[in-house]
């Protein structure tokens, strides 16, 4: 059972991570699918482009929690099943991978910034705070969320390595950071070309959510008005 419990925890974390809350929340709020506009990324930043800040905040919170809670559960209750910090780190990575490649949404997921942040805060709150501070500083001075995400991802494993040493968590954090940077490949190209959008700049409005047609076709059965 020493091998079964870690595998069960990793699979469960992946399935939790596969809940694409950007899509789920957008549907609940009657918004367009976030994969159909803006960056086509199912994440909180793209949901914000819909103009609905509440939906974006709910998405951000849920995406962070799906990384935070599985790791926290292992740290709190895992010891009785032989699960330690090493397993918690791989559980966090599994939740992140679920967000990036969600099995419930045809493996078309987001970039994983909020989920990665949740994982880091659960593994080590101080590491999470340092990484978040790096993110916030870059956003404040440069107004690029993508650049801030990349810089924070680069710094996270180095913070862990330099302050707490080469423990079992470094490798999982490093893999998560590399995947996050790779998911920002298109943003890196735009940053180099100077075409990346800054935070606060309005993007093109998203399309309205599809509505069922009434009887008589797309015009709902009404004929043309005569003047």
């Amino acid at each position: 059972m020493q091998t079964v419990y870690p595998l069960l925890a990793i699979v469960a974390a992946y399935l939790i991570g596969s809940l694409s809350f950007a899509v789920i929340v957008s549907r609940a709020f009657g918004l367009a699918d976030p994969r159909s506009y803006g960056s086509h990324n199912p994440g909180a930043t793209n949901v914000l482009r819909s103009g609905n800040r509440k939906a974006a905040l709910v998405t951000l919170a849920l995406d962070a929690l799906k990384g935070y809670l599985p790791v926290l559960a292992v740290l709190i209750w895992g010891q009785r099943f032989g699960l330690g910090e090493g397993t918690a780190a791989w559980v966090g990575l599994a939740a992140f991978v679920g967000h990036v490649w969600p099995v419930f949404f045809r493996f078309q997921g987001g970039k994983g910034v909020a989920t990665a942040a949740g994982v880091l805060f659960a593994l080590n709150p101080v590491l999470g705070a340092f990484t978040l501070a790096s993110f916030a500083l870059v956003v404040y001075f440069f107004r690029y969320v993508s650049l801030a995400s990349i810089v924070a991802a680069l710094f996270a494993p180095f913070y862990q390595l330099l302050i707490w040493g080469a423990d079992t968590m470094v490798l999982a954090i490093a893999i998560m950071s590399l995947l996050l940077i790779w998911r920002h490949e298109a943003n890196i190209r735009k940053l180099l070309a100077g075409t990346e959008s800054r935070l606060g700049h309005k993007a093109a409005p998203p399309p309205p959510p599809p509505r069922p047609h009434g009887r008589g076709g797309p015009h709902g059965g009404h004929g043309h008005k005569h003047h």
Side-chain angles (χ1 to χ4, degrees):
M1 298 298 288
Q2 291 181 350
T3 305
V4 173
Y5 286 136
L7 285 176
L8 287 175
I10 288 170
V11 171
Y14 170 77
L15 294 176
I16 292 170
S18 291
L19 297 171
S20 186
F21 285 115
V23 179
I24 296 170
V25 170
S26 292
R27 289 176 182 172
F29 277 77
L31 304 174
D33 191 317
R35 297 169 295 182
S36 67
Y37 62 86
S39 64
H40 303 281
N41 175 61
T45 302
N46 204 37
V47 173
L48 184 60
R49 291 188 174 98
S50 70
N52 193 316
R53 293 184 179 181
K54 185 177 180 181
L57 286 173
V58 172
T59 300
L60 179 67
L62 291 174
D63 278 349
L65 283 173
K66 73 181 182 183
Y68 182 84
L69 292 178
V71 174
L72 188 65
V74 171
L75 293 175
I76 294 175
W77 296 297
Q79 189 172 3
R80 70 185 68 176
F81 302 104
L83 309 180
E85 288 186 349
T87 303
W90 293 111
V91 162
L93 178 61
F96 173 83
V97 170
H99 178 86
V100 176
W101 292 290
V103 67
F104 304 127
F105 293 85
R106 301 179 182 177
F107 301 101
Q108 298 173 356
K111 294 171 183 174
V113 176
T115 303
V119 171
L120 294 180
F121 270 101
L123 288 173
N124 186 337
V126 178
L127 172 63
F130 283 173
T131 307
L132 181 61
S134 302
F135 175 90
L137 284 171
V138 176
V139 169
Y140 179 79
F141 285 107
F142 298 99
R143 311 299 293 177
Y144 289 118
V145 174
S146 58
L147 179 62
S149 302
I150 293 165
V151 170
L154 283 171
F155 282 3
F158 286 104
Y159 286 148
Q160 178 68 27
L161 186 62
L162 293 175
I163 300 174
W164 293 277
D167 57 17
T168 54
M169 294 193 292
V170 172
L171 180 58
I173 293 172
I175 293 173
M176 185 169 64
S177 296
L178 289 173
L179 286 173
L180 193 149
I181 293 169
W182 174 68
R183 291 290 288 176
H184 282 81
E185 179 186 3
N187 301 94
I188 293 172
R189 291 177 185 162
K190 290 180 180 179
L191 286 167
L192 293 174
T195 57
E196 178 72 327
S197 60
R198 292 176 184 266
L199 185 66
H201 285 205
K202 291 184 178 180
R211 295 180 179 179
H213 299 310
R215 295 179 182 177
H219 298 290
H222 296 290
H224 295 288
K225 291 183 179 180
H226 296 283
H227 297 281

